[in-house]
Amino acid sequence: MQEKTITKKTPFEQEVYEGLTAFPKYLSSKYFYDAIGDSLFQDIMAMPEYYLTDCEFAILQKHKSAITKAFSEHNAPFSLFELGAGDGKKTKILLKHFTENQIEFDYRPIDISQNALDQLQRSIQHELPKVVVNTIQGTYFDTLKDIAEEHSKKKVILFLGSNIGNLLHPQAIDFLRQLKAVIHEDDLIFMGFDQKKNPQTVLNAYNDDSGITEAFNKNVLTRINKELDGNFDLDNYLHWEVYDPESGTAKSYLVAKQAQEVYIKKLELNITLDAWETIHTEISQKYDDKVVGWLAKEAGLKIHAQFSDDRAYYKNYIFKKE
Ligand code: AVJ
């Protein structure tokens, strides 16, 4: 009998295949993040042009009392879930304030990286030993079940960093609907949304001269080379950023500087790029109150409160079920 090995493609393999055989070509920004990508993103957050992180930090600092009041209304103890908790640098502002004010809560950070969760748990144990931490490892999607299963306690779900900006509006609505489906009437969703502003300021945040964002963007090609045995020549691509102030969408591309052939061995895939052909890699959506209100409404949520920095570059909204 003839043996046949059927190897199922991983989501990464599948999406790379689909995106590079499509016209126009695209790759998903979720594949920027391996150990190298995580570290490049840390570098991005430290760049002067990348205002988002500093703004959200300032908002949490400035409004921590009001945020605490909103979370602990009627003194009900709550579970604080955080999607994509990372290093928890911003969240610790709130955790510290809650502890100092004897707020009853427990913290349930969710992240795809067990390593990030272990580090986070250790650092909280060290800096804020009174905080009860229960980590949950998985993708947003798998862990929604864990959130849904909590019935006995009030829930607050954090989603910081304007990570929602990587989603097109229909996907964002779908995601908000999924969150709505796992909360009850008094539960809250607390989310960061980068705001529309001077288009030059937005463009600069994704177009630094130091080449960090370029390296971040190209990391998806590096991963294809390493993990799928591809032969992209990174020097043959430009990092190109555009921002449309009407739609509020910043888009990243890799642009081929000359015609090229690429072979991805693990996919048995040969692709060709014409000179100046593009691979679209990321959107970073910017918002205003009207758009956020519309997304919430479409998902069956309503804006309960909002907090902004002094320049109104960035906002954190609290949503409740409509
Ligand atoms: C982590 C998705 C919020 O879109 O601003 C930073 C990722 N891309 N620079 C963003 C990113 C290029 C970032 N998010």
Side-chain angles (χ1 to χ4, degrees):
M1 208 171 73
Q2 188 146 19
E3 294 258 345
K4 232 185 184 178
T5 42
I6 300 168
T7 41
K8 211 164 165 270
K9 278 194 193 152
T10 63
F12 181 47
E13 291 168 354
Q14 222 160 339
E15 288 185 48
V16 167
Y17 191 96
E18 271 169 32
L20 293 181
T21 53
F23 183 81
K25 293 180 169 53
Y26 63 90
L27 291 166
S28 167
S29 60
K30 56 175 185 271
Y31 299 115
F32 290 168
Y33 304 89
D34 61 354
I36 293 172
D38 288 348
S39 140
L40 286 166
F41 185 58
Q42 293 284 334
D43 297 343
I44 286 174
M45 289 194 288
M47 303 189 317
E49 299 89 343
Y50 196 74
Y51 56 83
L52 289 81
T53 314
D54 296 341
C55 286
E56 195 167 46
F57 199 84
I59 291 170
L60 297 177
Q61 232 358 306
K62 182 174 178 192
H63 300 285
K64 59 190 174 195
S65 298
I67 295 166
T68 303
K69 230 181 232 160
F71 287 7
S72 61
E73 217 185 356
H74 310 305
N75 292 321
F78 60 90
S79 284
L80 185 68
F81 293 91
E82 179 169 18
L83 303 176
D87 66 3
K89 191 173 165 240
K90 289 177 282 192
T91 315
K92 282 178 190 165
I93 300 170
L94 296 180
L95 300 181
K96 183 160 183 278
H97 194 74
F98 295 161
T99 339
E100 286 166 357
N101 290 276
Q102 283 86 43
I103 303 296
E104 267 190 82
F105 76 104
D106 69 316
Y107 178 45
R108 306 199 197 177
I110 295 166
D111 207 283
I112 189 133
S113 157
Q114 185 62 48
N115 181 47
L117 288 171
D118 292 343
Q119 278 184 26
L120 178 60
Q121 184 148 33
R122 254 179 275 133
S123 76
I124 292 172
Q125 242 153 35
H126 182 69
E127 294 165 41
L128 300 159
K130 283 189 198 140
V131 175
V132 178
V133 186
N134 289 298
T135 62
I136 309 171
Q137 190 275 328
T139 64
Y140 302 152
F141 188 76
D142 327 315
T143 56
L144 284 171
K145 269 200 278 10
D146 294 278
I147 304 178
E149 277 160 17
E150 175 57 66
H151 292 295
S152 57
K153 233 188 199 177
K154 175 175 174 174
K155 296 182 241 194
V156 179
I157 302 176
L158 292 190
F159 192 51
L160 302 181
S162 204
N163 282 322
I164 194 165
N166 279 160
L167 304 179
L168 296 165
H169 290 323
Q171 300 169 328
I173 291 165
D174 194 59
F175 177 65
L176 289 170
R177 276 194 191 131
Q178 292 180 35
L179 292 184
K180 190 204 88 171
V182 301
I183 63 168
H184 299 113
E185 199 171 310
D186 290 327
D187 298 343
L188 306 173
I189 298 169
F190 183 84
M191 239 188 225
F193 288 79
D194 194 22
Q195 299 288 299
K196 289 182 181 169
K197 60 183 64 61
N198 186 323
Q200 194 63 56
T201 307
V202 174
L203 200 55
N204 294 346
Y206 296 92
N207 220 11
D208 60 290
D209 293 325
S210 58
I212 299 171
T213 306
E214 175 182 350
F216 184 60
N217 194 10
K218 287 185 178 178
N219 194 44
V220 64
L221 301 187
T222 308
R223 284 192 68 183
I224 294 172
N225 285 351
K226 268 190 299 206
E227 294 170 39
L228 308 182
D229 208 353
N231 66 353
F232 277 103
D233 181 349
L234 270 54
D235 294 334
N236 287 349
Y237 297 84
L238 284 178
H239 163 69
W240 195 258
E241 191 72 25
V242 295
Y243 177 62
D244 174 357
E246 182 180 49
S247 64
T249 311
K251 286 175 105 177
S252 301
Y253 295 93
L254 294 163
V255 184
K257 291 196 261 185
Q258 50 190 273
Q260 44 212 294
E261 262 182 45
V262 180
Y263 182 59
I264 303 172
K265 194 167 172 213
K266 195 135 188 235
L267 303 178
E268 292 178 41
L269 176 66
N270 245 313
I271 59 162
T272 59
L273 287 106
D274 296 333
W276 309 116
E277 189 173 338
T278 51
I279 304 173
H280 169 48
T281 52
E282 188 178 41
I283 78 158
S284 298
Q285 182 64 36
K286 308 306 161 200
Y287 302 88
D288 54 34
D289 287 346
K290 274 195 194 130
V291 172
V292 174
W294 169 73
L295 294 171
K297 190 164 184 294
E298 290 293 308
L301 296 165
K302 64 182 178 206
I303 299 174
H304 175 66
Q306 52 171 285
F307 307 95
S308 171
D309 60 304
D310 295 336
R311 293 177 298 189
Y313 271 18
Y314 192 98
K315 285 188 183 180
N316 288 85
Y317 296 81
I318 297 180
F319 300 129
K320 280 182 109 168
K321 269 177 120 154
E322 206 172 30

